[in-house]
Amino acid sequence: MSSTDPRLDMDDAMWRTLNLYHQRIDAERQGSGGPHRHMAVGPAAGRLINLLASSLDAPQILELGTSLGYSTIWLADAARATGGKVITMELETEKSALAKEMAEKAGLADWVDYQVGDALKLLDILDGPFDFVLIDHWKDLYLPSFEALLGKLAPGAILVADNMIRGGRSGGQTAYAAAVRATPGMTSVLLPVGSGLEVSRYEP
Ligand SMILES: C[S@@+](CC[C@H](N)C(=O)[O-])C[C@H]1O[C@@H](n2cnc3c(N)ncnc32)[C@H](O)[C@@H]1O
């Protein structure tokens, strides 16, 4: 193990679970994945969201778009390290259940509330405030989700939106970035990490 080996700051169960994901994500990229597509943020973006969420004190973390739970593992690890909690939302029941199984393998399920349904409807019944949000569901939902979230963000909240450079850029991402940047109190930057992350901080 070299001094830069990521295992040095990760427990074995999380490391083994991430490796399982990496094998499946590689298979998916080569066209031989299972019935469900991960569409995962990937290791660099996973590491970055982990690092950002870990810098907060007991953050209430929200994820829109669980898929098979790869990004959730990184967020749950940050929640465990800081006394925080993750709520993650996914439209498809089976995907959410598979994601929860993976978090159990990683020893991280206790830090995650897996919610199934349309994130916009689920958001309606949550008050927040949220300290960290990963936006990674369908791109046409980025802007309406941001609008629904705006009154529910804690001061200092960090928002990360994925697929802002690659991953089927559409009008959805452009509209989202424009709205975030036009919102008073928001500071935002586009980072070429993974498929492109818009990282924003809210200080009203
Ligand atoms: C890009 S994938 C998420 C990848 C995941 N964040 C990761 O990195 O492992 C997008 C997911 O959003 C889900 N989704 C799409 N529309 C949704 C909605 N309205 N509410 C909740 N989830 C939704 C899709 O079913 C899909 O699994």
Side-chain angles (χ1 to χ4, degrees), residues 39-41 65 67 70-71 90-91 95 117-119 136-138 141:
M39 299 173 282
V41 293
S67 188
Y70 177 76
S71 46
E90 170 55 50
L91 208 48
K95 279 184 163 182
D118 178 353
D136 191 22
H137 49 357
W138 298 153
L141 301 177

Side-chain angles (χ1 to χ4, degrees), residues 21 37-42 63-72 89-92 95 117-120 122 134 136-139 141 162-163:
Y21 275 110
R37 291 191 62 222
H38 287 76
M39 299 173 282
V41 293
E63 176 177 54
L64 309 181
T66 316
S67 188
L68 300 177
Y70 177 76
S71 46
T72 318
M89 299 174 174
E90 170 55 50
L91 208 48
E92 295 184 32
K95 279 184 163 182
D118 178 353
L120 276 174
L122 294 170
L134 175 64
D136 191 22
H137 49 357
W138 298 153
K139 311 319 157 215
L141 301 177
D162 188 35
N163 297 302

